[in-house]
Amino acid sequence: SVQTYAQYLKYVGTEKMAYLKKDVRLNDKKGTLFTQQLDYNLGTKIGNYYNGGKVINGETTITSDDGTYYEDTKDIFFKNDVVVSEPKNHITTDSLLYNMTTGSSDFYTNTHIKNKEAEIYSAQGTYDMNTGNALFTSRSTVIDSSGRVYIANNMAIDKKSGNAQLEDNALVKDSAAGY
């Protein structure tokens, strides 16, 4: 169940729409959304915020200009000036679909992921913030902490095993080894 709080609430029963303004807070069992304006459809269980919002899910904080919250799936689609901050990662992008239950994120535009092991530049893919596993499906670049550069059109990374699979026009550049 979802609980909402705000300084102002207008409910239109025929439309099942709640319009919340000023110091809006939406809580569910996975996290909390903070914004100044939220339009929430009680029939579809979908809420939209505009002009800035922040979601806190455990140690993960995500901010964006606009967003759409899907109660049934626990997904939030962040749009425009998206920043993800957490102990392990810092991510900047313009659109991100984040699942509050799994910690998995899908992105569809130029994205920069930075953590202590690597810097990643990609325009499309899936990144699991909990495990560090990733699948990038556009021309992507990974620069690891040793300075090694990986570039490929498609890339899969298994952080636990340390394995990476690069496909289609792949390049590995190891400046420490001289090539």
Side-chain angles (χ1 to χ4, degrees):
S1 69
V2 170
Q3 297 174 336
T4 56
Y5 305 89
Q7 296 297 316
Y8 170 81
L9 167 67
K10 175 182 175 183
Y11 179 69
V12 180
T14 56
E15 299 174 6
K16 294 187 177 183
M17 285 295 298
Y19 300 93
L20 300 99
K21 291 184 181 178
K22 195 173 180 194
D23 300 327
V24 178
R25 191 174 81 222
L26 182 144
N27 292 336
D28 70 13
K29 293 178 183 174
K30 297 297 176 184
T32 304
L33 164 66
F34 300 91
T35 187
Q36 291 301 310
Q37 179 183 346
L38 178 71
D39 299 344
Y40 190 80
N41 185 314
L42 277 72
T44 62
K45 298 180 182 178
I46 296 173
N48 292 290
Y49 67 86
Y50 315 95
N51 303 315
K54 173 173 68 172
V55 171
I56 298 176
N57 182 22
E59 294 184 282
T60 302
T61 300
I62 306 173
T63 60
S64 68
D65 291 344
D66 306 299
T68 302
Y69 167 78
Y70 302 91
E71 180 183 343
D72 288 342
T73 61
K74 302 297 184 223
D75 287 321
I76 301 178
F77 186 62
F78 297 95
K79 297 172 274 198
N80 304 318
D81 198 20
V82 181
V83 177
V84 179
S85 298
E86 61 174 9
K88 297 178 191 175
N89 299 291
H90 183 79
I91 301 171
T92 55
T93 187
D94 208 46
S95 65
L96 180 82
L97 180 65
Y98 174 75
N99 185 278
M100 292 179 42
T101 303
T102 66
S104 181
S105 57
D106 297 323
F107 51 91
Y108 311 97
T109 187
N110 290 337
T111 300
H112 177 227
I113 302 169
K114 185 174 181 175
N115 56 46
K116 66 181 180 178
E117 292 91 19
E119 279 197 63
I120 302 164
Y121 300 90
S122 185
Q124 185 173 351
T126 299
Y127 184 75
D128 188 316
M129 293 186 217
N130 293 324
T131 65
N133 294 340
L135 176 63
F136 304 117
T137 56
S138 69
R139 188 82 176 153
S140 301
T141 301
V142 175
I143 305 167
D144 72 15
S145 58
S146 69
R148 201 170 288 124
V149 178
Y150 306 86
I151 302 171
N153 290 348
N154 297 298
M155 191 179 304
I157 299 172
D158 183 323
K159 184 176 178 186
K160 186 174 181 178
S161 70
N163 292 329
Q165 179 177 333
L166 286 68
E167 296 178 347
D168 198 13
N169 202 17
L171 169 71
V172 177
K173 184 177 179 184
D174 188 348
S175 59
Y179 53 89

